[in-house]
Amino acid sequence: MKVSYLFAAPVALLAAVPSMAQVMTPADYVKTASASDLYERQSAQIVLQTTASPDVRAFAEMMMSAHAQSTADVKAAAMKSKVAAAPPMLSPLQAEMIAQLRDETSDSRDAAYIAQQKAAHNQALNVQQAYAMDGTVPTLKAAAARIVPIVQSHIAMLMKM
């Protein structure tokens, strides 16, 4: 069994990144939320290729659906408010995390996935809460407010894994 700690550094960095949502422009919020959703879907696809855990499989399948929906919600709010929404792109850190998941063996991939998910969801919660509270575009604020309890429920599930 390969034990890898490669995923620990980016996860720690992600968790340490302060939430910038308090000062985010609407376009930056859309970009950040979309990148987060893209990371969630891509990481779920990777873990679904090898996981034997019913709990990890169920969670990853839920991430595919939930994050497709939150992307659609943010995109619709952006369009309604005439905020430009570029195609989502992973941040360099998210791309590194995806690469590390791909490099993990099936034995250690589940653990790496769960660790990354905990950090990514905490960061996503910070962004969504901050924009829901301090955002400048009402439709985007409303979308963020609707996403907050969903992210909170994902975090609660992760804490049990």
Side-chain angles (χ1 to χ4, degrees):
M1 179 168 113
K2 175 184 167 191
V3 177
S4 174
Y5 296 98
L6 288 176
F7 66 89
V11 170
L13 285 174
L14 183 62
V17 172
S19 172
M20 305 264 273
Q22 291 90 348
V23 295
M24 276 188 174
T25 66
D28 284 342
Y29 165 72
V30 171
K31 178 181 175 183
T32 302
S34 297
S36 176
D37 285 339
L38 179 61
Y39 162 77
E40 293 296 341
R41 292 190 310 272
Q42 286 185 4
S43 63
Q45 288 171 334
I46 293 165
V47 79
L48 285 169
Q49 295 170 6
T50 58
T51 189
S53 166
D55 290 340
V56 171
R57 179 167 298 282
F59 186 81
E61 288 171 347
M62 184 178 58
M63 292 303 94
M64 297 287 293
S65 173
H67 289 280
Q69 183 61 53
S70 60
T71 294
D73 291 349
V74 170
K75 186 176 179 180
M79 288 177 64
K80 185 175 182 179
S81 300
K82 297 181 181 14
V83 173
M89 291 181 55
L90 296 175
S91 72
L93 180 56
Q94 290 165 330
E96 181 180 345
M97 290 167 60
I98 291 294
Q100 288 176 355
L101 273 182
R102 284 190 179 115
D103 290 344
E104 292 292 336
T105 64
S106 58
D107 291 341
S108 60
R109 186 176 284 158
D110 286 3
Y113 175 72
I114 296 302
Q116 287 186 7
Q117 289 299 301
K118 288 177 179 178
H121 276 82
N122 283 324
Q123 181 63 21
L125 182 60
N126 289 339
V127 169
Q128 298 295 343
Q129 285 178 326
Y131 201 85
M133 187 178 309
D134 299 323
T136 58
V137 174
T139 56
L140 289 172
K141 281 181 73 161
R146 287 189 303 274
I147 293 168
V148 166
I150 297 167
V151 176
Q152 289 170 327
S153 73
H154 296 169
I155 291 170
M157 289 176 209
L158 285 163
M159 291 302 131
K160 296 176 184 173
M161 296 179 87

